[in-house]
């Protein structure tokens, strides 16, 4: 079992829809969680950082962490075609500074 | 541009050759990380440095791989006697440690193809 699991998708939604992306993780020691966006053949771009449980909002993006159920979510409001990319979740902060990534969810926002 | 930079962006080599990649982190960041990403997968951790000290290495980092950060600034990742299984995107990231904030910023990656 991978430490961080994501549905690979693809997830296809119409422009303007609310998108929900999810991850589960197994490492109880994770302290912080991140969402990255990765366009094809590019490096990951940091979207959201969350420490411990709770919600964090930044513009159209909201990240939620529920440590009791080991569940991480990213919501994208008013989705745009430019949001079409692979979204990677990651956990970290156990005994190391390395990040453990999920395999990513491909999102396609149709105009 | 003050982001993480990586060179070269693409590298094609023949099996058995040695290759070296370079990463220049964001200037004030003292932690530097190397990850490897294959198609359809998320990045996998290889190693990280705090200043010039290499503090952790993954089991993925075989004896053919070596990384250095001699002056605590840029870093190099060398792969000796490349194999076809080494074909991947090699990503570098950097961070500046602060309490409850360990955000890693990635470079554009070096895409390696071993023929």
């Amino acid at each position: 079992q991978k430490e961080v699991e994501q549905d690979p998708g693809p997830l296809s939604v119409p422009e303007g829809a609310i998108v929900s992306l999810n991850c589960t993780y197994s490492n109880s020691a994770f302290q912080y969680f991140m969402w990255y966006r990765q366009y094809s053949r590019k490096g990951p771009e940091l979207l959201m950082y969350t420490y411990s449980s709770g919600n964090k909002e930044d513009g159209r993006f909201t990240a939620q962490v529920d440590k009791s159920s080991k569940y991480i979510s990213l919501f994208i409001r008013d989705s745009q075609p430019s949001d079409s990319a692979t979204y990677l979740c990651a956990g970290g902060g156990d005994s190391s500074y390395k990040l453990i990534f999920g395999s990513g969810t491909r999102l396609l926002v149709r105009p | 541009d003050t982001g993480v930079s990586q060179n070269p962006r693409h590298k094609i080599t023949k099996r058995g050759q040695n290759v070296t990649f370079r990463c220049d982190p964001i200037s004030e960041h003292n932690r530097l990380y190397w990850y490897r990403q294959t198609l359809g997968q998320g990045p996998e951790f290889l190693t990280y440095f705090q200043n010039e000290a290499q503090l952790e290495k993954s089991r993925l980092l075989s004896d053919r791989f070596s990384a250095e950060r001699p002056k605590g600034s840029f870093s190099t990742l060398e792969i000796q006697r490349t194999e076809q299984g080494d074909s991947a995107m090699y990503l570098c990231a950097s961070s500046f440690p602060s309490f409850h904030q360990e955000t890693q910023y990635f470079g554009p990656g070096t895409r390696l193809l071993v023929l």
Side-chain angles (χ1 to χ4, degrees):
Chain A
Q1 181 191 7
K2 288 190 170 184
E3 284 189 86
V4 180
E5 300 270 8
Q6 277 185 271
D7 187 324
L11 176 63
S12 180
V13 301
E15 182 175 355
I18 297 175
V19 175
S20 172
L21 301 167
N22 307 296
C23 288
T24 58
Y25 66 94
S26 58
N27 189 336
S28 302
F30 282 162
Q31 296 183 48
Y32 47 79
F33 305 89
M34 300 184 191
W35 284 96
Y36 287 85
R37 177 173 62 194
Q38 186 172 30
Y39 293 111
S40 181
R41 299 183 174 271
K42 304 289 186 185
E45 171 193 7
L46 180 65
L47 281 178
M48 300 289 285
Y49 172 96
T50 308
Y51 182 83
S52 193
S53 283
N55 293 359
K56 185 172 182 180
E57 186 174 325
D58 184 1
R60 296 185 297 112
F61 299 94
T62 300
Q64 288 184 349
V65 175
D66 182 346
K67 293 189 77 176
S68 63
S69 59
K70 297 189 179 68
Y71 200 79
I72 314 164
S73 299
L74 178 71
F75 299 96
I76 307 174
R77 291 180 296 282
D78 187 24
S79 56
Q80 303 295 310
S82 58
D83 294 328
S84 298
T86 295
Y87 288 79
L88 298 159
C89 64
D94 45 5
S95 58
S96 164
Y97 297 109
K98 66 178 181 280
L99 292 176
I100 306 298
F101 283 86
S103 56
T105 299
R106 277 183 54 211
L107 172 66
L108 175 63
V109 181
R110 307 185 306 271
Chain B
D1 187 348
T2 57
V4 177
S5 62
Q6 292 187 245
N7 288 288
R9 296 291 307 278
H10 304 276
K11 179 71 178 178
I12 300 174
T13 191
K14 292 183 179 178
R15 191 175 51 188
Q17 298 295 305
N18 299 345
V19 294
T20 300
F21 310 141
R22 175 176 170 132
C23 171
D24 287 88
I26 294 170
S27 59
E28 65 270 23
H29 287 187
N30 63 351
R31 287 198 186 126
L32 185 149
Y33 308 79
W34 286 98
Y35 292 81
R36 180 172 68 186
Q37 186 177 25
T38 54
L39 197 63
Q41 300 298 315
E44 293 178 291
F45 171 79
L46 293 177
T47 189
Y48 96 92
F49 294 83
Q50 180 150 322
N51 299 312
E52 64 274 9
Q54 187 174 18
L55 297 186
E56 187 174 351
K57 294 188 337 183
S58 163
R59 285 171 296 177
L60 291 174
L61 214 65
S62 76
D63 292 345
R64 297 183 298 104
F65 288 70
S66 63
E68 294 183 341
R69 195 182 183 198
K71 296 182 180 178
S73 57
F74 73 91
S75 175
T76 57
L77 177 68
E78 181 183 17
I79 309 174
Q80 296 182 327
R81 305 181 303 281
T82 53
E83 302 173 355
Q84 288 183 324
D86 297 331
S87 295
M89 170 88 95
Y90 289 84
L91 292 162
C92 176
S94 69
S95 70
F96 184 80
S98 61
F99 187 67
H100 284 184
Q101 186 82 4
E102 180 61 32
T103 47
Q104 296 182 21
Y105 296 90
F106 282 81
T110 294
R111 186 171 294 277
L112 172 67
L113 178 60
V114 182
L115 301 176

